[in-house]
Amino acid sequence: MQFTGTDRYVAPPELAVAVNAAVTLERPLLVKGEPGTGKTELARQVAASLGMPIIEWHVKSTTKAQQGLYEYDAVSRLRDSQLGDQRVHEVANYIRKGKLWQAFEADRKTVLLIDEIDKADIEFPNDLLQELDRMEFHVYETGETIRARHRPVVVITSNNEKELPDAFLRRCFFHYIRFPEADTLKTIVELHYPGLKPALLDEALRQFLDLRDVPGLKKKPSTSELLDWLKLLLAEDLDAQDLRRDPGDMLPRLHGALLKNEQDVALFEKLAFMARRQAR
């Protein structure tokens, strides 16, 4: 089967090509892009499109690569030994399977999402090199080797917050999700909000894209924030005329859904002040 997108996810041709190439090569697909451009959702939609279950591993700053394989709970075993529990004689009772182990032992091919890998320590990707390459790892406490029954489709996302090691990059198929163009944005919106009034959609997209083009923004609003904003506009029953602003008013209606820090709000207030002075 080939991934072409779903009825809930618009996949540009170059993204579909990247997904299918990674599946064919049996390489992890490393997806980078702005936060909110649908990287995590891509893995879920690939799973839905290809008819596979998905296993999600959401990486945090404290996450260690070993946790994706397994964890040995020595503290619980010590406590049980003090209580005379017979379970202590079987070390396997204290092995907690990680997300990679779950994907490797699945009885069918799965999609494994490793989400926001750049949040973790720089050594995190290096510590997974062999496991993702050979699709196996050793459990030292039990002496067994866990091998993938079916090689999973691995999707790795990154917000580009830090550089990833070259040795890790060499093992991946890479794709950068560019911010959608206006026509693609329109298709995405119509997918989520069918029947949206054309005039409202055109005006909202114009203001949204104008806002993104303002130089000096600390955080540009993303596709997900556009969808949140439109949801609010619909909830308030606003139309295109309600969105049109005075020349000296730079901030769009309900801008809190689009601008997420005080520096960007202050920037627009400054621009509005300058526009009012020039209009005098």
Side-chain angles (χ1 to χ4, degrees):
M1 294 179 64
Q2 295 282 303
F3 175 72
T4 58
T6 69
D7 58 358
R8 298 293 299 166
Y9 191 92
V10 177
E14 62 274 13
L15 177 56
V17 167
V19 171
N20 293 319
V23 173
T24 300
L25 293 172
E26 296 188 323
R27 294 279 190 181
L29 173 63
L30 174 61
V31 184
K32 291 187 178 182
E34 292 181 31
T37 50
K39 300 184 297 297
T40 302
E41 188 62 24
L42 170 66
R44 296 167 182 158
Q45 296 303 320
V46 168
S49 175
L50 302 181
M52 299 177 188
I54 185 169
I55 295 173
E56 301 187 16
W57 184 14
H58 299 284
V59 176
K60 301 177 181 179
S61 60
T62 55
T63 302
K64 303 298 180 184
Q66 181 64 33
Q67 294 173 299
L69 308 179
Y70 69 93
E71 292 182 277
Y72 171 55
D73 192 354
V75 174
S76 292
R77 193 180 188 193
L78 175 62
R79 183 188 64 239
D80 288 349
S81 69
Q82 294 170 338
L83 296 173
D85 194 319
Q86 294 302 307
R87 296 175 68 249
V88 298
H89 300 298
E90 183 56 61
V91 68
N93 291 329
Y94 302 93
I95 299 292
R96 297 177 182 173
K97 298 177 181 179
K99 299 296 184 179
L100 266 73
W101 190 331
Q102 294 173 31
F104 285 7
E105 73 172 4
D107 57 7
R108 55 184 295 201
K109 200 174 184 71
T110 65
V111 172
L112 172 63
L113 168 64
I114 304 177
D115 196 32
E116 298 189 329
I117 194 172
D118 53 328
K119 277 188 176 180
D121 185 84
I122 190 62
E123 291 304 319
F124 181 93
N126 282 332
D127 292 342
L128 290 177
L129 285 179
Q130 296 302 319
E131 289 77 10
L132 291 177
D133 201 23
R134 298 180 181 178
M135 286 289 150
E136 66 177 39
F137 62 90
H138 188 69
V139 183
Y140 295 98
E141 288 78 5
T142 63
E144 61 183 322
T145 297
I146 306 300
R147 295 184 177 87
R149 298 173 63 184
H150 305 278
R151 192 179 188 97
V153 175
V154 182
V155 179
I156 303 171
T157 72
S158 169
N159 288 327
N160 224 8
E161 292 182 4
K162 65 167 68 90
E163 290 296 322
L164 299 174
D166 289 344
F168 180 80
L169 295 174
R170 184 174 63 81
R171 289 166 167 81
C172 299
F173 190 94
F174 172 76
H175 183 76
Y176 184 86
I177 297 182
R178 301 183 184 280
F179 191 81
E181 296 180 353
D183 289 343
T184 304
L185 271 180
K186 196 169 186 177
T187 303
I188 292 171
V189 170
E190 289 171 343
L191 199 64
H192 288 267
Y193 302 112
L196 191 67
K197 295 177 182 177
L200 175 61
L201 175 56
D202 290 344
E203 181 63 23
L205 283 180
R206 185 187 68 77
Q207 291 192 19
F208 174 77
L209 292 172
D210 285 349
L211 189 151
R212 277 186 56 89
D213 285 341
V214 172
L217 277 183
K218 185 175 181 180
K219 183 195 178 304
K220 293 183 178 182
S222 66
T223 310
S224 64
E225 287 153 342
L226 168 63
L227 295 175
D228 286 346
W229 185 49
L230 286 169
K231 185 175 182 179
L232 288 175
L233 298 183
L234 289 172
E236 294 290 327
D237 197 25
L238 301 178
D239 58 23
Q241 190 62 41
D242 294 324
L243 291 188
R244 295 194 176 99
R245 301 163 294 183
D246 296 328
D249 186 7
M250 303 294 292
L251 285 168
R253 294 283 294 270
L254 300 168
H255 63 269
L258 300 173
L259 300 176
K260 299 301 177 73
N261 59 70
E262 64 277 12
Q263 295 97 319
D264 289 343
V265 174
L267 172 63
F268 273 84
E269 290 173 344
K270 182 178 179 181
L271 291 173
F273 175 73
M274 293 171 62
R276 286 194 293 269
R277 287 188 61 181
Q278 291 175 357
R280 291 174 183 171

